């Protein structure tokens, strides 16, 4: 067997052995942020205009971010529900809850919402005994995240925090996609034939805010082992 092949085999074995019980929440949040920002920074202005966000072929990097969001949801939910040992499963659940809070503190809101969505997965929510065992601290964190991420009032709590935001930041992609489509549906020309400058200003505000986020990278250190774990860990199908 060649050296390179042996090295690859050993790497695969280490990857299989790695689980969320081995990864601190801070490390998980950091690597999720690095991976997503690598995609987010390449989204072009053209991908954001003329309803391009609705068409994957016209917005490849934006949809790559969406795919990463969905994968994060599925693999975290999978890690929770497939951990056989009850004590380890509780540790994994608490790690995921804590990761959501750290991502919020880092201003990686897309990552935070992905983790929030994973925790709302029906398979995870059905684990009543595991949820009942989390510490008071983690229960309080989850209550705070649950209220913060509530879609009520068009994500009022989330939008209020954004009104006084600092950088770096990864915005919640579902929100800015929704806002872009809403603005694009307004008429470009008014009944009197004049340009709808209100629409143009709204579009410019959203796009400039995204560009600002892209220009302010996170200063974080990559961990290859955890990156590989995130990218290749098993995930449930949507039907599971």
């Amino acid at each position: 067997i060649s050296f390179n092949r042996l090295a690859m085999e050993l790497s695969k074995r280490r990857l299989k052995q790695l689980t969320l019980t081995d990864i601190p929440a801070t490390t998980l949040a950091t690597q999720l942020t690095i991976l997503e920002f690598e995609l987010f920074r390449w989204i072009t202005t053209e991908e954001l205009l003329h309803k391009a966000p609705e068409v994957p072929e016209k917005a490849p990097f934006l949809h790559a971010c969406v795919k990463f969001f969905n994968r994060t949801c599925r693999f975290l939910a999978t890690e929770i529900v497939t951990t056989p040992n009850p004590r380890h499963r509780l540790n994994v659940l608490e790690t995921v809850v804590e990761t959501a809070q750290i991502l919020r503190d880092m201003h990686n809101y897309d990552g935070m919402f992905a983790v929030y969505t994973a925790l709302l997965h029906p398979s995870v929510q059905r684990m009543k005994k595991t949820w009942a065992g989390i510490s008071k601290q983690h229960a309080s964190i989850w209550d705070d995240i649950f209220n913060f991420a509530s879609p009520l009032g068009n994500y009022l709590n989330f939008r209020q925090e954004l009104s006084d935001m600092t950088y770096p930041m990864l915005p919640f992609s579902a929100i800015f996609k929704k806002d872009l489509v809403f603005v694009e549906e307004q008429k470009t020309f008014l009944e009197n034939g004049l340009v709808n400058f209100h629409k143009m200003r709204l579009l410019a505000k959203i796009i400039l805010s995204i560009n600002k986020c892209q220009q302010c990278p996170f200063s974080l250190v990559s961990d290859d082992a955890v990156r590989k774990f995130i990218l290749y860990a098993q995930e449930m199908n949507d039907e599971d």
Side-chain angles (χ1 to χ4, degrees):
I1 186 170
S2 69
F3 175 79
N4 288 339
R5 187 175 176 184
L6 177 61
M8 289 177 63
E9 183 62 29
L10 290 173
S11 178
K12 288 180 180 178
R13 290 178 184 177
R14 286 196 295 269
L15 181 61
K16 289 179 181 179
Q17 293 172 356
L18 191 64
T19 68
L20 271 187
T21 57
D22 307 311
I23 305 173
T26 301
T27 302
L28 180 60
T30 296
Q31 301 312 308
L32 286 170
T33 301
I34 292 173
L35 285 166
E36 183 166 11
F37 190 80
E38 289 174 356
L39 299 172
F40 172 76
R41 65 190 292 264
W42 290 108
I43 297 173
T44 65
T45 299
E46 289 74 19
E47 293 188 43
L48 304 173
L49 294 170
H50 311 303
K51 297 187 178 181
E54 297 181 307
V55 184
E57 293 77 12
K58 293 183 178 180
F61 287 105
L62 178 56
H63 280 269
C65 288
V66 173
K67 288 178 66 176
F68 184 77
F69 180 101
N70 293 335
R71 167 160 176 77
T72 300
C73 298
R74 291 193 296 266
F75 105 79
L76 288 177
T78 302
E79 286 294 315
I80 296 170
V81 302
T82 60
T83 302
N85 183 289
R87 181 172 60 83
H88 292 168
R89 189 187 313 124
L90 176 61
N91 290 340
V92 169
L93 178 58
E94 290 185 338
T95 295
V96 176
V97 168
E98 190 175 342
T99 299
Q101 181 60 57
I102 295 170
L103 288 167
R104 178 184 176 184
D105 293 340
M106 294 173 67
H107 304 156
N108 179 358
Y109 293 109
D110 210 48
M112 188 217 73
F113 273 96
V115 176
Y116 163 78
T117 304
L119 290 167
L120 288 181
H121 192 286
S123 297
V124 176
Q125 287 294 304
R126 283 196 294 267
M127 304 177 71
K128 304 298 184 183
K129 290 184 179 179
T130 305
W131 278 102
I134 65 174
S135 69
K136 291 183 179 180
Q137 178 186 4
H138 287 91
S140 177
I141 292 173
W142 172 236
D143 287 343
D144 186 50
I145 292 293
F146 185 83
N147 292 326
F148 173 71
S150 170
L152 294 177
N154 194 17
Y155 294 92
L156 177 62
N157 294 336
F158 168 65
R159 290 181 185 274
Q160 286 178 337
E161 182 162 306
L162 284 185
S163 63
D164 186 25
M165 186 43 55
T166 58
Y167 299 91
M169 180 179 75
L170 264 167
F172 181 27
S173 57
I175 287 287
F176 71 71
K177 283 174 58 182
K178 177 182 177 182
D179 290 348
L180 284 167
V181 171
F182 174 77
V183 174
E184 288 276 19
E185 288 177 345
Q186 299 182 29
K187 294 181 179 180
T188 301
F189 295 95
L190 303 175
E191 293 181 0
N192 58 11
L194 296 177
V195 174
N196 185 351
F197 285 105
H198 177 66
K199 173 182 177 177
M200 299 301 110
R201 283 192 293 269
L202 290 175
L203 279 176
K205 182 179 179 180
I206 297 170
I207 292 172
L208 288 173
S209 68
I210 294 170
N211 290 342
K212 175 67 173 178
C213 292
Q214 292 175 309
Q215 295 164 9
C216 299
F218 292 81
S219 180
L220 302 170
V221 178
S222 180
D223 184 315
D224 288 343
V226 179
R227 283 168 61 98
K228 289 178 181 177
F229 169 77
I230 292 171
L231 293 172
Y232 300 113
Q234 179 184 0
E235 58 181 283
M236 293 185 291
N237 295 321
D238 292 334
E239 294 81 12
D240 292 342

